[in-house]
Amino acid sequence: MNDLALLLSPEGRALLDEVRDTDPARELAVATRLRREHPAELVSAALGQARLRQRAVVKFGAQDAARMFFTPNGVEQSTRASVAAYRARRFAESGVTSVADLCCGIGGDAIALARAGIRVLAVDRDPATAAAARANAEVLGLSGLIEVREADVTEVDTAGHDAVFVDPARRGGRGRIFDPEAYSPPLSWAVSAARRAPSTAALKIAPGIPHEAVPEDAEAEWISDGGDVKEAVLWFGTEPGAVRATLLPGPRTLLSRGLPDPEVRPPGRYLYEPDGAAIRAHLVAEVAEELDGGLLDATIAYVTADELRPTPYATAYEITDHLPFNVKKLKALLREREVGNLTVKKRGSAVEPEELRRKVKPHGPHAATVFLTRVAGAPAMLIGHPA
């Protein structure tokens, strides 16, 4: 928080502009030069903030990241702007006009909500984090819609807000926390807070949450952005019991229809790799039905089909070869076809992609993709290319 106070001064803001594009390799030389004219503490704070802003570009875009203020945990744990904007649209489309954003972090979700025209009470108990959220609301011109409060979220009265959003801390001193009751605050408390909301509530949770931990009165949504699974959300006051996978950009949403597991069938001409959100949401059966496909193995989320059907919910590959797992045969085949650009994907195999690359030593002008998996329980290699 002391660093932030320094950076918010006129001298600090000017120094931030000066060091904005500093190459990390030149930091020491830049710091030595700047300390001749500025306090060492301010120079250190400015260069540290410049590094955080550079890291934040991937989540917030260059324009916002260059103006916002971050903490190391804030960069790591904040919601990607595209995901936050999608969620804010869902709130707005349900008629929500005010949200209590509990565990707001540096304000990523509060910013998206305010930009959707929603009034936000943003709460975080960490002084430095709350100060960063307050500064971000100001620099982005949203302080009229965002009130930041430094407080324990379990002691905040959310009356007067028609919706609640809770983003519990899912990291501790030893890294990621997988037990939902070890979140801070625990998932059970967040669910209780959500159920007290007058209209809608959303809880951001880890995408690996067991499906049996999802409350019966919640809608469960898994979200991916650009093919990478980013989070899961429990919605209250929407569609109880619904399960969906949402893909960004788009959005495109696949809803569960309660289908039985797809049949296992021999490899067809095409292999489809379902989007991670569909896999996490247990919607591989819905993807397979759309493709008129089956599974290579009952326990593995690879779909096989005879026809090429474009779908946003899976990536298609044309398969040219299906072999039992054998490194020597794979090496000979790749050498014969002069494959130097080799993509290795695996599911249901203990072999590490880098280890396989070292053994087969790909060389040549052509490209191929090899899938290390199981076919009807047997270790196999499928070779092909994007369709």
PDB file of all heavy atoms in Angstrom, residues 65-102:
ATOM      1  N   ALA A  65      -4.167  -2.164 -19.081  1.00  0.00           N
ATOM      2  CA  ALA A  65      -3.037  -2.589 -18.249  1.00  0.00           C
ATOM      3  C   ALA A  65      -2.033  -1.464 -18.051  1.00  0.00           C
ATOM      4  O   ALA A  65      -1.404  -1.358 -16.995  1.00  0.00           O
ATOM      5  CB  ALA A  65      -2.349  -3.799 -18.858  1.00  0.00           C
ATOM      6  N   ALA A  66      -1.884  -0.600 -19.054  1.00  0.00           N
ATOM      7  CA  ALA A  66      -0.921   0.495 -18.960  1.00  0.00           C
ATOM      8  C   ALA A  66      -1.343   1.558 -17.959  1.00  0.00           C
ATOM      9  O   ALA A  66      -0.512   2.363 -17.519  1.00  0.00           O
ATOM     10  CB  ALA A  66      -0.720   1.137 -20.335  1.00  0.00           C
ATOM     11  N   ARG A  67      -2.611   1.564 -17.566  1.00  0.00           N
ATOM     12  CA  ARG A  67      -3.100   2.589 -16.640  1.00  0.00           C
ATOM     13  C   ARG A  67      -3.416   2.034 -15.258  1.00  0.00           C
ATOM     14  O   ARG A  67      -3.438   2.775 -14.277  1.00  0.00           O
ATOM     15  CB  ARG A  67      -4.374   3.243 -17.202  1.00  0.00           C
ATOM     16  CG  ARG A  67      -4.160   4.017 -18.490  1.00  0.00           C
ATOM     17  CD  ARG A  67      -5.461   4.691 -18.933  1.00  0.00           C
ATOM     18  NE  ARG A  67      -6.438   3.725 -19.406  1.00  0.00           N
ATOM     19  CZ  ARG A  67      -7.731   4.008 -19.599  1.00  0.00           C
ATOM     20  NH1 ARG A  67      -8.199   5.219 -19.295  1.00  0.00           N
ATOM     21  NH2 ARG A  67      -8.562   3.094 -20.067  1.00  0.00           N
ATOM     22  N   MET A  68      -3.666   0.747 -15.163  1.00  0.00           N
ATOM     23  CA  MET A  68      -4.127   0.161 -13.907  1.00  0.00           C
ATOM     24  C   MET A  68      -2.976  -0.075 -12.927  1.00  0.00           C
ATOM     25  O   MET A  68      -1.808  -0.006 -13.294  1.00  0.00           O
ATOM     26  CB  MET A  68      -4.856  -1.156 -14.191  1.00  0.00           C
ATOM     27  CG  MET A  68      -6.183  -0.977 -14.919  1.00  0.00           C
ATOM     28  SD  MET A  68      -6.911  -2.563 -15.432  1.00  0.00           S
ATOM     29  CE  MET A  68      -7.281  -3.317 -13.822  1.00  0.00           C
ATOM     30  N   PHE A  69      -3.356  -0.362 -11.685  1.00  0.00           N
ATOM     31  CA  PHE A  69      -2.392  -0.671 -10.635  1.00  0.00           C
ATOM     32  C   PHE A  69      -2.624  -2.106 -10.165  1.00  0.00           C
ATOM     33  O   PHE A  69      -3.760  -2.539  -9.989  1.00  0.00           O
ATOM     34  CB  PHE A  69      -2.545   0.310  -9.466  1.00  0.00           C
ATOM     35  CG  PHE A  69      -2.176   1.720  -9.832  1.00  0.00           C
ATOM     36  CD1 PHE A  69      -3.126   2.588 -10.347  1.00  0.00           C
ATOM     37  CD2 PHE A  69      -0.868   2.162  -9.695  1.00  0.00           C
ATOM     38  CE1 PHE A  69      -2.797   3.885 -10.699  1.00  0.00           C
ATOM     39  CE2 PHE A  69      -0.520   3.469 -10.051  1.00  0.00           C
ATOM     40  CZ  PHE A  69      -1.486   4.328 -10.550  1.00  0.00           C
ATOM     41  N   PHE A  70      -1.516  -2.821  -9.962  1.00  0.00           N
ATOM     42  CA  PHE A  70      -1.606  -4.245  -9.666  1.00  0.00           C
ATOM     43  C   PHE A  70      -0.766  -4.614  -8.449  1.00  0.00           C
ATOM     44  O   PHE A  70       0.208  -3.949  -8.119  1.00  0.00           O
ATOM     45  CB  PHE A  70      -1.128  -5.070 -10.866  1.00  0.00           C
ATOM     46  CG  PHE A  70      -1.936  -4.856 -12.111  1.00  0.00           C
ATOM     47  CD1 PHE A  70      -1.520  -3.946 -13.075  1.00  0.00           C
ATOM     48  CD2 PHE A  70      -3.121  -5.541 -12.311  1.00  0.00           C
ATOM     49  CE1 PHE A  70      -2.273  -3.732 -14.222  1.00  0.00           C
ATOM     50  CE2 PHE A  70      -3.882  -5.326 -13.454  1.00  0.00           C
ATOM     51  CZ  PHE A  70      -3.455  -4.428 -14.411  1.00  0.00           C
ATOM     52  N   THR A  71      -1.165  -5.695  -7.816  1.00  0.00           N
ATOM     53  CA  THR A  71      -0.331  -6.390  -6.848  1.00  0.00           C
ATOM     54  C   THR A  71       0.081  -7.711  -7.500  1.00  0.00           C
ATOM     55  O   THR A  71      -0.573  -8.154  -8.454  1.00  0.00           O
ATOM     56  CB  THR A  71      -1.100  -6.687  -5.550  1.00  0.00           C
ATOM     57  OG1 THR A  71      -2.173  -7.593  -5.859  1.00  0.00           O
ATOM     58  CG2 THR A  71      -1.664  -5.402  -4.938  1.00  0.00           C
ATOM     59  N   PRO A  72       1.153  -8.348  -7.032  1.00  0.00           N
ATOM     60  CA  PRO A  72       1.531  -9.639  -7.647  1.00  0.00           C
ATOM     61  C   PRO A  72       0.392 -10.655  -7.624  1.00  0.00           C
ATOM     62  O   PRO A  72       0.115 -11.312  -8.626  1.00  0.00           O
ATOM     63  CB  PRO A  72       2.723 -10.086  -6.786  1.00  0.00           C
ATOM     64  CG  PRO A  72       3.329  -8.805  -6.303  1.00  0.00           C
ATOM     65  CD  PRO A  72       2.160  -7.887  -6.056  1.00  0.00           C
ATOM     66  N   ASN A  73      -0.294 -10.788  -6.484  1.00  0.00           N
ATOM     67  CA  ASN A  73      -1.429 -11.717  -6.422  1.00  0.00           C
ATOM     68  C   ASN A  73      -2.573 -11.248  -7.306  1.00  0.00           C
ATOM     69  O   ASN A  73      -3.310 -12.060  -7.869  1.00  0.00           O
ATOM     70  CB  ASN A  73      -1.922 -11.858  -4.981  1.00  0.00           C
ATOM     71  CG  ASN A  73      -1.008 -12.737  -4.145  1.00  0.00           C
ATOM     72  OD1 ASN A  73      -0.227 -13.516  -4.683  1.00  0.00           O
ATOM     73  ND2 ASN A  73      -1.087 -12.596  -2.833  1.00  0.00           N
ATOM     74  N   GLY A  74      -2.733  -9.934  -7.438  1.00  0.00           N
ATOM     75  CA  GLY A  74      -3.807  -9.388  -8.258  1.00  0.00           C
ATOM     76  C   GLY A  74      -3.659  -9.765  -9.720  1.00  0.00           C
ATOM     77  O   GLY A  74      -4.638 -10.095 -10.393  1.00  0.00           O
ATOM     78  N   VAL A  75      -2.442  -9.724 -10.227  1.00  0.00           N
ATOM     79  CA  VAL A  75      -2.203 -10.131 -11.617  1.00  0.00           C
ATOM     80  C   VAL A  75      -2.480 -11.618 -11.776  1.00  0.00           C
ATOM     81  O   VAL A  75      -3.103 -12.056 -12.750  1.00  0.00           O
ATOM     82  CB  VAL A  75      -0.752  -9.812 -12.045  1.00  0.00           C
ATOM     83  CG1 VAL A  75      -0.457 -10.406 -13.417  1.00  0.00           C
ATOM     84  CG2 VAL A  75      -0.524  -8.319 -12.072  1.00  0.00           C
ATOM     85  N   GLU A  76      -2.020 -12.406 -10.806  1.00  0.00           N
ATOM     86  CA  GLU A  76      -2.137 -13.857 -10.899  1.00  0.00           C
ATOM     87  C   GLU A  76      -3.579 -14.331 -10.816  1.00  0.00           C
ATOM     88  O   GLU A  76      -4.009 -15.211 -11.554  1.00  0.00           O
ATOM     89  CB  GLU A  76      -1.315 -14.494  -9.775  1.00  0.00           C
ATOM     90  CG  GLU A  76      -1.300 -16.008  -9.782  1.00  0.00           C
ATOM     91  CD  GLU A  76      -0.474 -16.593 -10.906  1.00  0.00           C
ATOM     92  OE1 GLU A  76       0.438 -15.905 -11.401  1.00  0.00           O
ATOM     93  OE2 GLU A  76      -0.756 -17.741 -11.290  1.00  0.00           O
ATOM     94  N   GLN A  77      -4.360 -13.731  -9.905  1.00  0.00           N
ATOM     95  CA  GLN A  77      -5.667 -14.279  -9.578  1.00  0.00           C
ATOM     96  C   GLN A  77      -6.842 -13.535 -10.191  1.00  0.00           C
ATOM     97  O   GLN A  77      -7.979 -14.010 -10.109  1.00  0.00           O
ATOM     98  CB  GLN A  77      -5.823 -14.306  -8.053  1.00  0.00           C
ATOM     99  CG  GLN A  77      -4.790 -15.179  -7.372  1.00  0.00           C
ATOM    100  CD  GLN A  77      -4.920 -15.204  -5.862  1.00  0.00           C
ATOM    101  OE1 GLN A  77      -5.995 -14.977  -5.314  1.00  0.00           O
ATOM    102  NE2 GLN A  77      -3.830 -15.473  -5.169  1.00  0.00           N
ATOM    103  N   SER A  78      -6.618 -12.389 -10.793  1.00  0.00           N
ATOM    104  CA  SER A  78      -7.742 -11.618 -11.328  1.00  0.00           C
ATOM    105  C   SER A  78      -8.351 -12.304 -12.548  1.00  0.00           C
ATOM    106  O   SER A  78      -7.697 -13.076 -13.257  1.00  0.00           O
ATOM    107  CB  SER A  78      -7.291 -10.204 -11.707  1.00  0.00           C
ATOM    108  OG  SER A  78      -6.221 -10.253 -12.631  1.00  0.00           O
ATOM    109  N   THR A  79      -9.615 -12.005 -12.784  1.00  0.00           N
ATOM    110  CA  THR A  79     -10.341 -12.564 -13.917  1.00  0.00           C
ATOM    111  C   THR A  79      -9.882 -11.915 -15.211  1.00  0.00           C
ATOM    112  O   THR A  79      -9.690 -10.702 -15.273  1.00  0.00           O
ATOM    113  CB  THR A  79     -11.850 -12.322 -13.744  1.00  0.00           C
ATOM    114  OG1 THR A  79     -12.277 -12.867 -12.494  1.00  0.00           O
ATOM    115  CG2 THR A  79     -12.648 -12.958 -14.870  1.00  0.00           C
ATOM    116  N   ARG A  80      -9.715 -12.719 -16.253  1.00  0.00           N
ATOM    117  CA  ARG A  80      -9.421 -12.168 -17.578  1.00  0.00           C
ATOM    118  C   ARG A  80     -10.564 -11.248 -18.004  1.00  0.00           C
ATOM    119  O   ARG A  80     -11.737 -11.558 -17.787  1.00  0.00           O
ATOM    120  CB  ARG A  80      -9.253 -13.318 -18.568  1.00  0.00           C
ATOM    121  CG  ARG A  80      -8.881 -12.908 -19.989  1.00  0.00           C
ATOM    122  CD  ARG A  80      -8.726 -14.145 -20.842  1.00  0.00           C
ATOM    123  NE  ARG A  80      -7.541 -14.888 -20.463  1.00  0.00           N
ATOM    124  CZ  ARG A  80      -6.405 -14.907 -21.158  1.00  0.00           C
ATOM    125  NH1 ARG A  80      -6.302 -14.193 -22.267  1.00  0.00           N
ATOM    126  NH2 ARG A  80      -5.375 -15.612 -20.759  1.00  0.00           N
ATOM    127  N   ALA A  81     -10.217 -10.119 -18.619  1.00  0.00           N
ATOM    128  CA  ALA A  81     -11.221  -9.096 -18.935  1.00  0.00           C
ATOM    129  C   ALA A  81     -12.340  -9.643 -19.805  1.00  0.00           C
ATOM    130  O   ALA A  81     -13.515  -9.287 -19.615  1.00  0.00           O
ATOM    131  CB  ALA A  81     -10.553  -7.904 -19.616  1.00  0.00           C
ATOM    132  N   SER A  82     -12.032 -10.511 -20.763  1.00  0.00           N
ATOM    133  CA  SER A  82     -13.068 -11.044 -21.647  1.00  0.00           C
ATOM    134  C   SER A  82     -14.068 -11.903 -20.870  1.00  0.00           C
ATOM    135  O   SER A  82     -15.267 -11.879 -21.148  1.00  0.00           O
ATOM    136  CB  SER A  82     -12.428 -11.869 -22.776  1.00  0.00           C
ATOM    137  OG  SER A  82     -11.588 -12.886 -22.227  1.00  0.00           O
ATOM    138  N   VAL A  83     -13.574 -12.649 -19.893  1.00  0.00           N
ATOM    139  CA  VAL A  83     -14.455 -13.495 -19.074  1.00  0.00           C
ATOM    140  C   VAL A  83     -15.301 -12.623 -18.148  1.00  0.00           C
ATOM    141  O   VAL A  83     -16.507 -12.846 -17.990  1.00  0.00           O
ATOM    142  CB  VAL A  83     -13.629 -14.512 -18.269  1.00  0.00           C
ATOM    143  CG1 VAL A  83     -14.534 -15.357 -17.381  1.00  0.00           C
ATOM    144  CG2 VAL A  83     -12.821 -15.402 -19.206  1.00  0.00           C
ATOM    145  N   ALA A  84     -14.670 -11.612 -17.547  1.00  0.00           N
ATOM    146  CA  ALA A  84     -15.403 -10.706 -16.656  1.00  0.00           C
ATOM    147  C   ALA A  84     -16.494  -9.960 -17.423  1.00  0.00           C
ATOM    148  O   ALA A  84     -17.596  -9.755 -16.907  1.00  0.00           O
ATOM    149  CB  ALA A  84     -14.441  -9.716 -16.008  1.00  0.00           C
ATOM    150  N   ALA A  85     -16.191  -9.551 -18.655  1.00  0.00           N
ATOM    151  CA  ALA A  85     -17.178  -8.830 -19.464  1.00  0.00           C
ATOM    152  C   ALA A  85     -18.358  -9.737 -19.810  1.00  0.00           C
ATOM    153  O   ALA A  85     -19.523  -9.300 -19.797  1.00  0.00           O
ATOM    154  CB  ALA A  85     -16.527  -8.295 -20.730  1.00  0.00           C
ATOM    155  N   TYR A  86     -18.074 -10.992 -20.115  1.00  0.00           N
ATOM    156  CA  TYR A  86     -19.162 -11.939 -20.405  1.00  0.00           C
ATOM    157  C   TYR A  86     -20.064 -12.110 -19.189  1.00  0.00           C
ATOM    158  O   TYR A  86     -21.302 -12.070 -19.299  1.00  0.00           O
ATOM    159  CB  TYR A  86     -18.578 -13.285 -20.836  1.00  0.00           C
ATOM    160  CG  TYR A  86     -19.574 -14.415 -20.729  1.00  0.00           C
ATOM    161  CD1 TYR A  86     -20.622 -14.533 -21.643  1.00  0.00           C
ATOM    162  CD2 TYR A  86     -19.506 -15.338 -19.680  1.00  0.00           C
ATOM    163  CE1 TYR A  86     -21.558 -15.547 -21.532  1.00  0.00           C
ATOM    164  CE2 TYR A  86     -20.435 -16.360 -19.561  1.00  0.00           C
ATOM    165  CZ  TYR A  86     -21.459 -16.461 -20.486  1.00  0.00           C
ATOM    166  OH  TYR A  86     -22.394 -17.456 -20.363  1.00  0.00           O
ATOM    167  N   ARG A  87     -19.462 -12.280 -18.012  1.00  0.00           N
ATOM    168  CA  ARG A  87     -20.254 -12.468 -16.807  1.00  0.00           C
ATOM    169  C   ARG A  87     -21.073 -11.213 -16.494  1.00  0.00           C
ATOM    170  O   ARG A  87     -22.235 -11.295 -16.090  1.00  0.00           O
ATOM    171  CB  ARG A  87     -19.343 -12.832 -15.635  1.00  0.00           C
ATOM    172  CG  ARG A  87     -20.115 -13.047 -14.359  1.00  0.00           C
ATOM    173  CD  ARG A  87     -19.325 -13.739 -13.275  1.00  0.00           C
ATOM    174  NE  ARG A  87     -17.949 -13.332 -13.207  1.00  0.00           N
ATOM    175  CZ  ARG A  87     -16.916 -14.142 -13.459  1.00  0.00           C
ATOM    176  NH1 ARG A  87     -17.126 -15.381 -13.826  1.00  0.00           N
ATOM    177  NH2 ARG A  87     -15.686 -13.718 -13.351  1.00  0.00           N
ATOM    178  N   ALA A  88     -20.463 -10.049 -16.682  1.00  0.00           N
ATOM    179  CA  ALA A  88     -21.188  -8.800 -16.437  1.00  0.00           C
ATOM    180  C   ALA A  88     -22.398  -8.685 -17.356  1.00  0.00           C
ATOM    181  O   ALA A  88     -23.467  -8.212 -16.938  1.00  0.00           O
ATOM    182  CB  ALA A  88     -20.242  -7.609 -16.637  1.00  0.00           C
ATOM    183  N   ARG A  89     -22.253  -9.139 -18.601  1.00  0.00           N
ATOM    184  CA  ARG A  89     -23.401  -9.114 -19.531  1.00  0.00           C
ATOM    185  C   ARG A  89     -24.512 -10.024 -19.029  1.00  0.00           C
ATOM    186  O   ARG A  89     -25.691  -9.685 -19.132  1.00  0.00           O
ATOM    187  CB  ARG A  89     -22.967  -9.531 -20.937  1.00  0.00           C
ATOM    188  CG  ARG A  89     -22.178  -8.468 -21.692  1.00  0.00           C
ATOM    189  CD  ARG A  89     -22.127  -8.772 -23.187  1.00  0.00           C
ATOM    190  NE  ARG A  89     -21.534 -10.065 -23.486  1.00  0.00           N
ATOM    191  CZ  ARG A  89     -20.230 -10.275 -23.641  1.00  0.00           C
ATOM    192  NH1 ARG A  89     -19.387  -9.253 -23.483  1.00  0.00           N
ATOM    193  NH2 ARG A  89     -19.763 -11.473 -23.929  1.00  0.00           N
ATOM    194  N   ARG A  90     -24.147 -11.189 -18.495  1.00  0.00           N
ATOM    195  CA  ARG A  90     -25.168 -12.090 -17.960  1.00  0.00           C
ATOM    196  C   ARG A  90     -25.923 -11.424 -16.812  1.00  0.00           C
ATOM    197  O   ARG A  90     -27.151 -11.527 -16.718  1.00  0.00           O
ATOM    198  CB  ARG A  90     -24.553 -13.401 -17.476  1.00  0.00           C
ATOM    199  CG  ARG A  90     -24.241 -14.396 -18.581  1.00  0.00           C
ATOM    200  CD  ARG A  90     -24.220 -15.832 -18.052  1.00  0.00           C
ATOM    201  NE  ARG A  90     -25.540 -16.289 -17.586  1.00  0.00           N
ATOM    202  CZ  ARG A  90     -25.782 -17.517 -17.121  1.00  0.00           C
ATOM    203  NH1 ARG A  90     -24.809 -18.419 -17.052  1.00  0.00           N
ATOM    204  NH2 ARG A  90     -26.990 -17.851 -16.717  1.00  0.00           N
ATOM    205  N   PHE A  91     -25.200 -10.748 -15.932  1.00  0.00           N
ATOM    206  CA  PHE A  91     -25.862 -10.027 -14.837  1.00  0.00           C
ATOM    207  C   PHE A  91     -26.796  -8.963 -15.401  1.00  0.00           C
ATOM    208  O   PHE A  91     -27.958  -8.852 -14.997  1.00  0.00           O
ATOM    209  CB  PHE A  91     -24.818  -9.367 -13.931  1.00  0.00           C
ATOM    210  CG  PHE A  91     -24.319 -10.234 -12.807  1.00  0.00           C
ATOM    211  CD1 PHE A  91     -22.976 -10.573 -12.714  1.00  0.00           C
ATOM    212  CD2 PHE A  91     -25.184 -10.698 -11.830  1.00  0.00           C
ATOM    213  CE1 PHE A  91     -22.511 -11.356 -11.665  1.00  0.00           C
ATOM    214  CE2 PHE A  91     -24.725 -11.483 -10.772  1.00  0.00           C
ATOM    215  CZ  PHE A  91     -23.389 -11.814 -10.700  1.00  0.00           C
ATOM    216  N   ALA A  92     -26.283  -8.168 -16.334  1.00  0.00           N
ATOM    217  CA  ALA A  92     -27.081  -7.065 -16.880  1.00  0.00           C
ATOM    218  C   ALA A  92     -28.324  -7.582 -17.594  1.00  0.00           C
ATOM    219  O   ALA A  92     -29.420  -7.019 -17.458  1.00  0.00           O
ATOM    220  CB  ALA A  92     -26.231  -6.223 -17.820  1.00  0.00           C
ATOM    221  N   GLU A  93     -28.170  -8.668 -18.361  1.00  0.00           N
ATOM    222  CA  GLU A  93     -29.298  -9.210 -19.122  1.00  0.00           C
ATOM    223  C   GLU A  93     -30.371  -9.811 -18.209  1.00  0.00           C
ATOM    224  O   GLU A  93     -31.524  -9.957 -18.625  1.00  0.00           O
ATOM    225  CB  GLU A  93     -28.792 -10.257 -20.118  1.00  0.00           C
ATOM    226  CG  GLU A  93     -28.026  -9.635 -21.286  1.00  0.00           C
ATOM    227  CD  GLU A  93     -27.269 -10.671 -22.104  1.00  0.00           C
ATOM    228  OE1 GLU A  93     -27.335 -11.883 -21.751  1.00  0.00           O
ATOM    229  OE2 GLU A  93     -26.584 -10.277 -23.071  1.00  0.00           O
ATOM    230  N   SER A  94     -29.993 -10.139 -16.973  1.00  0.00           N
ATOM    231  CA  SER A  94     -30.986 -10.663 -16.030  1.00  0.00           C
ATOM    232  C   SER A  94     -31.671  -9.543 -15.253  1.00  0.00           C
ATOM    233  O   SER A  94     -32.480  -9.816 -14.360  1.00  0.00           O
ATOM    234  CB  SER A  94     -30.323 -11.642 -15.053  1.00  0.00           C
ATOM    235  OG  SER A  94     -29.418 -10.972 -14.193  1.00  0.00           O
ATOM    236  N   GLY A  95     -31.337  -8.286 -15.587  1.00  0.00           N
ATOM    237  CA  GLY A  95     -31.992  -7.148 -14.959  1.00  0.00           C
ATOM    238  C   GLY A  95     -31.302  -6.608 -13.723  1.00  0.00           C
ATOM    239  O   GLY A  95     -31.827  -5.725 -13.044  1.00  0.00           O
ATOM    240  N   VAL A  96     -30.105  -7.113 -13.420  1.00  0.00           N
ATOM    241  CA  VAL A  96     -29.372  -6.667 -12.236  1.00  0.00           C
ATOM    242  C   VAL A  96     -28.875  -5.233 -12.439  1.00  0.00           C
ATOM    243  O   VAL A  96     -28.340  -4.888 -13.495  1.00  0.00           O
ATOM    244  CB  VAL A  96     -28.175  -7.607 -11.967  1.00  0.00           C
ATOM    245  CG1 VAL A  96     -27.202  -6.991 -10.957  1.00  0.00           C
ATOM    246  CG2 VAL A  96     -28.675  -8.957 -11.481  1.00  0.00           C
ATOM    247  N   THR A  97     -29.051  -4.400 -11.421  1.00  0.00           N
ATOM    248  CA  THR A  97     -28.562  -3.014 -11.482  1.00  0.00           C
ATOM    249  C   THR A  97     -27.490  -2.722 -10.445  1.00  0.00           C
ATOM    250  O   THR A  97     -26.800  -1.706 -10.544  1.00  0.00           O
ATOM    251  CB  THR A  97     -29.717  -2.018 -11.286  1.00  0.00           C
ATOM    252  OG1 THR A  97     -30.315  -2.242  -9.995  1.00  0.00           O
ATOM    253  CG2 THR A  97     -30.770  -2.188 -12.370  1.00  0.00           C
ATOM    254  N   SER A  98     -27.343  -3.601  -9.433  1.00  0.00           N
ATOM    255  CA  SER A  98     -26.311  -3.388  -8.428  1.00  0.00           C
ATOM    256  C   SER A  98     -25.793  -4.728  -7.930  1.00  0.00           C
ATOM    257  O   SER A  98     -26.574  -5.671  -7.742  1.00  0.00           O
ATOM    258  CB  SER A  98     -26.840  -2.556  -7.257  1.00  0.00           C
ATOM    259  OG  SER A  98     -27.891  -3.238  -6.597  1.00  0.00           O
ATOM    260  N   VAL A  99     -24.481  -4.817  -7.712  1.00  0.00           N
ATOM    261  CA  VAL A  99     -23.843  -6.064  -7.311  1.00  0.00           C
ATOM    262  C   VAL A  99     -22.900  -5.808  -6.143  1.00  0.00           C
ATOM    263  O   VAL A  99     -22.120  -4.847  -6.170  1.00  0.00           O
ATOM    264  CB  VAL A  99     -23.047  -6.693  -8.477  1.00  0.00           C
ATOM    265  CG1 VAL A  99     -22.226  -7.892  -7.997  1.00  0.00           C
ATOM    266  CG2 VAL A  99     -23.974  -7.127  -9.601  1.00  0.00           C
ATOM    267  N   ALA A 100     -22.964  -6.670  -5.138  1.00  0.00           N
ATOM    268  CA  ALA A 100     -21.947  -6.688  -4.087  1.00  0.00           C
ATOM    269  C   ALA A 100     -20.865  -7.670  -4.536  1.00  0.00           C
ATOM    270  O   ALA A 100     -21.113  -8.880  -4.622  1.00  0.00           O
ATOM    271  CB  ALA A 100     -22.548  -7.128  -2.758  1.00  0.00           C
ATOM    272  N   ASP A 101     -19.694  -7.130  -4.897  1.00  0.00           N
ATOM    273  CA  ASP A 101     -18.569  -7.921  -5.390  1.00  0.00           C
ATOM    274  C   ASP A 101     -17.670  -8.233  -4.194  1.00  0.00           C
ATOM    275  O   ASP A 101     -16.897  -7.379  -3.742  1.00  0.00           O
ATOM    276  CB  ASP A 101     -17.819  -7.121  -6.464  1.00  0.00           C
ATOM    277  CG  ASP A 101     -16.591  -7.842  -7.011  1.00  0.00           C
ATOM    278  OD1 ASP A 101     -16.331  -8.987  -6.595  1.00  0.00           O
ATOM    279  OD2 ASP A 101     -15.877  -7.244  -7.842  1.00  0.00           O
ATOM    280  N   LEU A 102     -17.781  -9.447  -3.665  1.00  0.00           N
ATOM    281  CA  LEU A 102     -17.081  -9.841  -2.448  1.00  0.00           C
ATOM    282  C   LEU A 102     -15.790 -10.573  -2.794  1.00  0.00           C
ATOM    283  O   LEU A 102     -15.793 -11.473  -3.623  1.00  0.00           O
ATOM    284  CB  LEU A 102     -17.991 -10.723  -1.594  1.00  0.00           C
ATOM    285  CG  LEU A 102     -19.387 -10.138  -1.308  1.00  0.00           C
ATOM    286  CD1 LEU A 102     -20.203 -11.102  -0.448  1.00  0.00           C
ATOM    287  CD2 LEU A 102     -19.288  -8.768  -0.651  1.00  0.00           C
TER     288      LEU A 102
END
